[in-house]
Amino acid sequence: MTLPVFFENSSVPKILSVFSPIEISAITLGPFIFCRESASDTLKRHEIIHWAQYKECLILGFLILYGFYWIKNILLGQSGERAYYMIPFEKEAYENQDNAEYLISRKAFAWRDYR
């Protein structure tokens, strides 16, 4: 099995969207990526960037830091949606999701440059 593993046409993003400030198209949970529909190359790159971040942070660290940054942004007065987009992990993934070469040239812990 090659990681990460994609699950397309999954109900997981739809269910989790109920609890999220955004409508989730896909979500990376450890080595598993759940997509609401078929995944485009752009969406796959975005989520594989998250998988790289997970590995760098030893999975649990990613989840803790992700929550920390979201709460920090909320406490700074940002809306839930804006707080999400300002998380360094998301900023890196969104900025580079259209670059087909990014995953080849990406430096370890690149998300730290987006804090």
Side-chain angles (χ1 to χ4, degrees), residues 1 36 47 67 76 86 102 113:
M1 170 177 20
R36 187 181 287 248
E47 298 304 327
L76 290 173
M86 295 306 294
Y102 183 69
D113 294 335

Side-chain angles (χ1 to χ4, degrees), residues 26-34 46-48 50-51 54 62-63:
I27 188 165
T28 302
L29 299 172
F32 306 108
I33 298 173
F34 300 92
H46 181 103
E47 298 304 327
I48 292 170
H50 286 321
W51 171 234
Y54 261 98
F62 175 88
L63 296 171

Side-chain angles (χ1 to χ4, degrees), residues 35-74:
C35 304
R36 187 181 287 248
E37 298 172 356
S38 295
S40 67
D41 289 342
T42 297
L43 181 62
K44 285 180 182 178
R45 268 191 300 277
H46 181 103
E47 298 304 327
I48 292 170
I49 291 168
H50 286 321
W51 171 234
Q53 296 163 343
Y54 261 98
K55 291 186 296 183
E56 291 165 349
C57 297
L58 306 175
I59 297 181
L60 185 58
F62 175 88
L63 296 171
I64 291 168
L65 286 171
Y66 197 99
F68 166 78
Y69 284 117
W70 188 79
I71 290 168
K72 175 186 164 198
N73 292 337
I74 291 291

Side-chain angles (χ1 to χ4, degrees), residues 85-96 114-115:
Y85 285 111
M86 295 306 294
I87 294 170
F89 299 120
E90 293 300 341
K91 289 168 74 174
E92 179 194 4
Y94 278 109
E95 185 171 310
N96 296 289
Y114 294 85
R115 294 182 289 170

